[in-house]
Amino acid sequence: MTSTNTIVVGGGHAGVNLACMLAIDEPSVDYLVLERDDSLLVKWRKYRWEKFNLNTPIKYSLLYGQQDERDEWLLDRSIEGELERWDAHIAKLGIRHKLHSNVKNIEKDDEKDAFIVTVEESDPSNGTKSIVKYQSTNVVVCNGYYDKPTSPLPIANGIASARCGIKQHIAAANFQFNDLVDGSALLVGSGQTGIQVADLLLRYKPEVKLYLCTSTVKGCPRSFDSKDVFYWLEEMGILTMPRSAVEAIKETDPKKYESLRYPKAPVHGQTADVSPFSLHRRGVELMGHLDSVVHNEGDDDVTFVFKDDRAENLQCCYNGFLGISTAIKKHANSSLDSPNPPEWSNVELELLKESGRLVLSAKDENITNVIFCTGWSHDFAFLRGIKGIEGDLDKKIQAPDVITSRVIKGLFYCGFPTIGTLQSLNIVKFNLDTKVILDGIRK
C-alpha cells in the first residue's frame, strides 16, 4: 500500500488548482491527484460544445500562481488557448498526478488516523484493470457536481421510443455543429449553455431554425457604465462575501438580499449581450419549459408539449438583470436614467406578458434535432464508507463542518457545490475557499 500525505480526488479545475497551491505554498507536503480520465482538466477538453469560449475576465480563470501578460479583464477567449497556458503552468510546477485512476471507496482507519483510498486503475494499452490502495493523512474531494452531462430521461426516452428520426444531442458532450441533421432544432434549457449554443448556431449555422425552451435562470448585465459587471461585483465586495453573510442580510434588508443572492449569473446564467430577449430579436422562438413528448403509435410525428410559463421564466431573467443593475447603480451613485439594457426594446419587453406556443409538431416545424442544455449529474458514492456523513451526501458535503474537516478530521471538499460556503461567494474567487482548506490540511 502506497502512503502519501494528501490524496486529491479529481483532476478538474478545483483539484488542479489545489495541487498548484500545495506545490507553491506547501512544497514539503506529499500529495497525489487521482483522475479517472485520460487527462487533467478533462471537462474543458471533452465536455463542451464547438467554438466554446470563456467569457469571464481572465483574472478569474488563472490557476494559482499562474502569471499572464494579457489584460486581466480580457473576455471571450478560446478554450484551446487557455488549455495551452494551463498545461504549461501544470508542467512547470510538476503537479503530481495519476490518470486512469477511478476512486471506488474511501474508508477511515481510526487506529492509524488515516484514510484508505481504494482505486481502480486502468491500463488503456491493454484494457486491463487492477485495484490499488493508498493510505493518506488527508483526502480532498474535488470531483464536483460537473461529473457527467445529462438529459431529462423521460423526454429523451420519449423521443427515442418514437423512432421519428429526431436526433438527440447533449451540448456539453462534445457537441459539434456538423452533427446536426438538416432541419430545425429545439434547444432544451436557457442557462449559460443553452444561451451560448443558440448564439453560436445563429452565427455559424444561420440556416437552422431555432426554438429555445426557457427556464427560471437569472439574467445579468455584461457591463454597466462601460465597466464589466465583474468589476462592480468585486468593488462591492460581493465576490468575497461568504454565503452565510448574504443569508444574514435576508431579514434586515430583503431587497439587498435579492440583489446579492444571484451574483453568479455571469457564470451560470445569462449576460445581457446574449439573452433570451436578444435571441428572440434574432429569430429564435421562445417556449416555456418542455413538459412532455407525445407520440401516438403508428404516427410518424412527435408533439412537444410546453408549460405555460414562458412569461414567468423571462420575468425571472429580467428581474435578475434589474436586481444586479439596481444594486450597482445605487453603489456607484450613477446618473444613468435607467438600468434597462439598450437592446431590450419595449416590443421585446412585451414578451414578459405573453404566453408562448404550448405545442409544437415536429413534422410541421421540421424539428429534426433536440439539443439538451440541461446540466450535469454527480456521484459521491465512494464516500459512503465514511462514518459520520451518512445519509444525504449532497447536503452533507455542503455543510461547512464537513468541507473544512471539522466532522471528519482530514477529509475536505473543494469545488462545486460548496463554492460560497466558506469565504467566496463565486467560483471566480475559489482561491479563497481553497486557501481555507489548505490551512486545515494535517502535515
Side-chain angles (χ1 to χ4, degrees):
M1 186 184 302
T2 304
S3 295
T4 187
N5 178 271
T6 301
I7 289 289
V8 180
V9 182
H13 216 97
V16 167
N17 195 69
L18 176 71
C20 291
M21 196 172 281
L22 280 167
I24 294 170
D25 292 349
E26 299 287 350
S28 63
V29 173
D30 188 29
Y31 70 90
L32 181 64
V33 179
L34 298 176
E35 168 56 49
R36 72 181 179 195
D37 221 306
D38 59 4
S39 68
L40 296 177
L41 304 175
V42 71
K43 296 298 187 299
W44 292 117
R45 302 178 201 276
K46 295 182 179 179
Y47 296 91
R48 52 185 171 87
W49 50 94
E50 185 177 352
K51 299 191 182 298
F52 172 86
N53 279 6
L54 293 174
N55 67 352
T56 50
I58 189 172
K59 62 190 295 184
Y60 298 135
S61 62
L62 298 177
L63 292 171
Y64 187 75
Q66 186 181 5
Q67 303 297 318
D68 201 297
E69 72 284 356
R70 294 171 295 170
D71 179 3
E72 64 179 2
W73 294 102
L74 180 66
L75 303 173
D76 199 26
R77 305 177 309 284
S78 160
I79 189 63
E80 285 82 6
E82 296 309 296
L83 279 166
E84 288 181 9
R85 291 176 171 85
W86 291 331
D87 287 343
H89 186 61
I90 290 167
K92 179 181 177 182
L93 293 179
I95 298 302
R96 297 190 286 277
H97 64 281
K98 198 162 189 179
L99 304 177
H100 307 288
S101 299
N102 188 11
V103 175
K104 306 298 285 187
N105 188 51
I106 299 176
E107 296 177 74
K108 182 71 183 290
D109 186 331
D110 292 327
E111 249 183 63
K112 296 180 179 179
D113 194 20
F115 296 91
I116 307 301
V117 182
T118 303
V119 180
E120 181 183 75
E121 294 186 351
S122 304
D123 185 343
S125 66
N126 56 28
T128 59
K129 295 181 179 181
S130 57
I131 297 297
V132 177
K133 294 193 175 187
Y134 294 87
Q135 178 179 298
S136 66
T137 307
N138 306 282
V139 171
V140 187
V141 178
C142 298
N143 65 313
Y145 263 20
Y146 288 78
D147 195 24
K148 290 182 181 178
T150 62
S151 58
L153 285 178
I155 301 296
N157 290 340
I159 296 171
S161 62
R163 304 191 180 199
C164 53
I166 295 177
K167 188 173 182 180
Q168 301 187 66
H169 315 265
I170 298 180
N174 198 28
F175 168 58
Q176 303 292 306
F177 301 156
N178 285 337
D179 293 341
L180 293 171
V181 297
D182 291 341
S184 304
L186 174 68
L187 287 87
V188 183
S190 64
Q192 184 80 310
T193 299
I195 293 297
Q196 283 193 22
V197 171
D199 172 58
L200 289 168
L201 288 174
L202 286 172
R203 284 193 270 163
Y204 296 101
K205 299 285 282 189
E207 70 277 11
V208 179
K209 167 67 179 173
L210 300 179
Y211 303 85
L212 176 68
C213 301
T214 58
S215 48
T216 50
V217 179
K218 294 279 185 177
C220 182
R222 174 71 271 175
S223 61
F224 191 91
D225 204 15
S226 302
K227 293 186 176 70
D228 190 84
V229 66
F230 280 105
Y231 167 87
W232 293 110
L233 296 178
E234 187 173 282
E235 185 174 278
M236 293 163 70
I238 291 176
L239 296 184
T240 52
M241 185 180 292
R243 189 175 298 163
S244 57
V246 175
E247 292 300 318
I249 297 172
K250 188 174 184 179
E251 297 298 324
T252 58
D253 193 342
K255 287 187 177 179
K256 185 175 182 180
Y257 170 75
E258 283 302 316
S259 69
L260 294 177
R261 192 176 167 207
Y262 293 99
K264 293 191 282 189
V267 179
H268 302 295
Q270 306 118 8
T271 49
D273 53 347
V274 184
S275 69
F277 297 90
S278 62
L279 291 174
H280 172 75
R281 186 179 69 241
R282 294 160 68 188
V284 177
E285 183 168 352
L286 303 179
M287 321 301 296
H289 276 97
L290 180 56
D291 190 43
S292 61
V293 174
V294 178
H295 174 253
N296 297 319
E297 196 170 343
D299 192 357
D300 61 351
D301 194 11
V302 166
T303 301
F304 296 100
V305 181
F306 304 90
K307 293 181 180 179
D308 187 12
D309 61 359
R310 186 183 78 167
E312 177 186 338
N313 298 338
L314 294 177
Q315 186 69 55
C316 177
C317 173
Y318 182 74
N319 288 348
F321 173 87
L322 199 63
I324 294 178
S325 296
T326 302
I328 293 173
K329 185 175 180 178
K330 183 178 179 180
H331 170 80
N333 294 318
S334 173
S335 60
L336 296 181
D337 292 333
S338 170
N340 289 346
E343 75 273 19
W344 292 3
S345 68
N346 289 333
V347 173
E348 287 165 333
L349 292 178
E350 285 297 311
L351 291 170
L352 300 177
K353 305 173 185 176
E354 300 172 357
S355 295
R357 284 200 279 175
L358 302 182
V359 173
L360 286 181
S361 159
K363 193 172 185 180
D364 292 347
E365 307 294 334
N366 194 27
I367 297 175
T368 53
N369 302 275
V370 173
I371 307 171
F372 291 108
C373 309
T374 46
W376 300 71
S377 64
H378 51 276
D379 183 7
F380 302 110
F382 57 85
L383 290 172
R384 296 200 180 279
I386 302 288
K387 294 179 181 178
I389 54 172
E390 301 91 344
D392 189 340
L393 287 174
D394 282 4
K395 291 181 179 178
K396 289 282 188 178
I397 62 173
Q398 294 185 63
D401 284 353
V402 173
I403 300 166
T404 56
S405 185
R406 289 196 290 268
V407 171
I408 311 296
K409 295 299 181 186
L411 178 65
F412 305 84
Y413 190 96
C414 183
F416 285 114
T418 60
I419 288 296
T421 308
L422 302 179
Q423 293 297 315
S424 129
L425 187 63
N426 196 291
I427 182 65
V428 298
K429 288 288 186 178
F430 68 98
N431 277 338
L432 297 175
D433 279 9
T434 307
K435 183 63 176 172
V436 172
I437 292 168
L438 193 71
D439 290 343
I441 283 179
R442 301 180 297 173
K443 308 299 193 291

